[in-house]
Amino acid sequence: MKTATTHGARTHARAQAGRRADAMPVVPATDWPAPPCGAGHLVWAETVAGGGYTHRAVARGTEIRLTDLRGDACAHLLLHADGRPWERLNTADTVKVQWNAYLRAGRLLLSDQGRVLASLTEDTADGRHDALCGTSTRASNTARYGDGAVHSNSPAGRELLKLAALKNGLEPRDLPPSVSFFQGVEIRKDGTPVLTGSAGPGGSVTLRAEQDLTVLIANVPHPLDPRPDYTSTPLEVLAWTAAATQPGDPLWDATPEGRRAFLNTAEFLAAKGVR
């Protein structure tokens, strides 16, 4: 075999330079062939395979656009204040404080400190998102698909998020319930959650980081997906430098609750010398 020796393995590895797979990061991100119109300097450009995951630490003000390329992606997202793992996405407060269970442009992703982690600035996926059900587990995937381990053909979202967390100094105990993009859930009058599915290929959502963040994403089927086969298609992730939301932005004053969350965030950052 060509790789049976160290020299052969090195030659084989070096021969892969410049080759690309359908799902992989582009490094440097500025080599991405079609950057978003009007975007600043690209800092993250990646296609995440179905059943895959990704992670990145991003600066305050970074805009992150997630795109469902083929109509069957489901981006399970977690956010942590970078360097402060105890401040993290709180889906209960995100829903409760804003008096709304449905994610779409204009909504905020909140921590349990009453501060904004990220804002949703654009949504072309018709609000087909979910802030209530979380992601799949190894047990649930084993029951449904026969396995939920990371290296199986049907990895569970929580198992992938554990890996992403570990690569950022986080532990399983640091993983709260996630939000999901591109597979919508509707709550019926009797309280039953019903999957409304995807808005179709090409839908996107753009998030703006309102603090320095650690971003964890698993691209796996929604736990309410009724299909017997594990169905998950590629997710595109693009991020670029921009500016955090400031007073005077319509998003800042869109609701009294949102304004208070932005004020809480601004006061906290000001005490750290961040304006």
Side-chain angles (χ1 to χ4, degrees):
M1 292 177 59
K2 292 182 179 180
T3 58
T5 67
T6 302
H7 290 294
R10 181 181 65 186
T11 299
H12 174 75
R14 289 179 174 177
Q16 310 309 308
R19 296 188 179 184
R20 281 195 47 77
D22 290 339
M24 64 180 294
V26 171
V27 180
T30 50
D31 284 350
W32 185 262
C37 179
H41 182 77
L42 279 174
V43 296
W44 186 7
E46 181 171 357
T47 304
V48 183
Y53 73 98
T54 188
H55 56 93
R56 189 66 57 98
V58 301
R60 178 173 178 254
T62 301
E63 295 194 347
I64 306 165
R65 190 182 73 184
L66 310 177
T67 302
D68 179 1
L69 295 175
R70 300 181 192 169
D72 271 317
C74 187
H76 301 264
L77 175 81
L78 282 178
L79 302 174
H80 293 73
D82 193 40
R84 303 193 319 279
W86 53 88
E87 183 167 8
R88 54 202 179 208
L89 176 66
N90 187 297
T91 55
D93 283 0
T94 291
V95 169
K96 177 180 66 176
V97 170
Q98 298 178 96
W99 305 97
N100 200 300
Y102 299 105
L103 300 173
R104 53 178 48 89
R107 299 282 187 259
L108 309 176
L109 299 180
L110 305 176
S111 76
D112 63 355
Q113 306 296 309
R115 296 191 281 257
V116 188
L117 294 174
S119 51
L120 278 64
T121 60
E122 295 183 16
D123 177 16
T124 69
D126 193 31
R128 299 295 182 95
H129 314 303
D130 171 36
L132 300 173
C133 295
T135 191
S136 54
T137 65
R138 185 167 183 169
S140 67
N141 274 26
T142 299
R144 171 167 294 198
Y145 307 114
D147 202 348
V150 167
H151 298 296
S152 71
N153 291 324
S154 49
R158 181 165 174 81
E159 297 304 302
L160 295 175
L161 290 172
K162 284 181 185 178
L163 271 186
L166 288 169
K167 292 180 178 180
N168 288 275
L170 303 170
E171 300 180 15
R173 68 178 181 176
D174 295 319
L175 300 183
S178 57
V179 294
S180 307
F181 294 103
F182 307 122
Q183 295 292 328
V185 170
E186 182 178 273
I187 305 301
R188 298 289 168 82
K189 289 184 177 181
D190 65 358
T192 303
V194 177
L195 190 74
T196 58
S198 167
S204 68
V205 61
T206 302
L207 311 174
R208 179 185 296 153
E210 305 294 357
Q211 301 187 45
D212 293 347
L213 296 177
T214 300
V215 181
L216 313 178
I217 302 172
N219 180 25
V220 300
H222 192 279
L224 294 185
D225 192 325
R227 292 173 288 188
D229 295 329
Y230 188 93
T231 305
S232 181
T233 55
L235 171 75
E236 181 184 275
V237 183
L238 296 178
W240 55 89
T241 56
T245 304
Q246 299 293 328
D249 187 303
L251 187 61
W252 185 285
D253 293 313
T255 67
E257 297 80 14
R259 184 173 186 274
R260 179 59 185 228
F262 275 119
L263 287 172
N264 289 342
T265 308
E267 180 182 48
F268 171 76
L269 293 173
K272 294 169 63 68
V274 179
R275 299 288 180 179

